[in-house]
Amino acid sequence: MTAATQVPGGSPLPRWLRLAATILPVAATAAIGSAATQAEIPGWYAGLNKPAFNPPNWVFPVAWTILYTMIAIALWRLLGAKPRSGPSREGWWLTLAAFLVQIALNAAWTPIFFTGHAIGAGLIVVAMLLVMVLWTIRLTWRFDRVAAWLLVPYAAWVAFATLLNAAILRMN
């Protein structure tokens, strides 16, 4: 089935609206994350006990820049893969809802963990995020396999973040 790997040529959304619908939620999530961490990295976060596998601080913005780019491309492709008619339209709407829920959880984790200093609540949110990213990949696969594959590194990073959050909770 090659149809799932290609975005239909004619998106139901105008080009500028599809671009805005792609960039705005991802950019807002990135901005929330950046704002929530800036003051906390050298202070509160630096004072936490962290496991030996905790990466250096510079790794996080590099990784997230790459991941947010991949997430935005996946969303752009998903928005272009909306079925024009038929029963799969409902599945597409569910896929889009799952995508937006995982973006919201992504945006929520950083203020909870960093600004709120709520390591335990952060662990709950990041675990929910992992489940939602995995579900989003599964749902997206039906409509655009390239978009689904673009989310796999994100799932791997969120799995690592879940492990890191759990280790930090245990150590503090």
Side-chain angles (χ1 to χ4, degrees):
M1 238 185 191
T2 58
T5 61
Q6 298 176 8
V7 175
S11 172
L13 293 174
R15 184 176 209 74
W16 65 270
L17 186 56
R18 182 173 164 203
L19 189 59
T22 296
I23 293 172
L24 290 177
V26 176
T29 300
I32 290 167
S34 180
T37 58
Q38 291 298 331
E40 301 299 334
I41 295 290
W44 175 77
Y45 186 74
L48 291 175
N49 295 318
K50 293 180 262 326
F53 62 86
N54 188 70
N57 290 341
W58 66 266
V59 170
F60 293 97
V62 172
W64 277 113
T65 299
I66 294 166
L67 292 170
Y68 282 138
T69 301
M70 294 171 78
I71 293 165
I73 294 168
L75 180 55
W76 182 82
R77 290 186 61 93
L78 179 61
L79 289 174
K82 180 181 179 187
R84 298 205 190 284
S85 62
S88 61
R89 282 187 81 153
E90 287 180 22
W92 182 87
W93 282 108
L94 177 63
T95 305
L96 181 61
F99 204 108
L100 296 175
V101 167
Q102 65 81 17
I103 286 286
L105 287 167
N106 184 317
W109 179 83
T110 313
I112 290 168
F113 183 89
F114 282 98
T115 307
H117 304 175
I119 302 169
L123 180 58
I124 293 167
V125 172
V126 77
M128 290 173 22
L129 173 58
L130 178 57
V131 169
M132 285 305 300
V133 172
L134 292 171
W135 192 43
T136 301
I137 292 168
R138 183 187 178 288
L139 292 171
T140 301
W141 185 261
R142 177 178 176 196
F143 299 100
D144 189 310
R145 292 185 179 162
V146 172
W149 277 112
L150 284 166
L151 297 174
V152 170
Y154 175 38
W157 184 259
V158 172
F160 173 73
T162 303
L163 179 64
L164 183 59
N165 193 148
I168 292 172
L169 177 63
R170 187 182 57 81
M171 296 175 75
N172 292 278

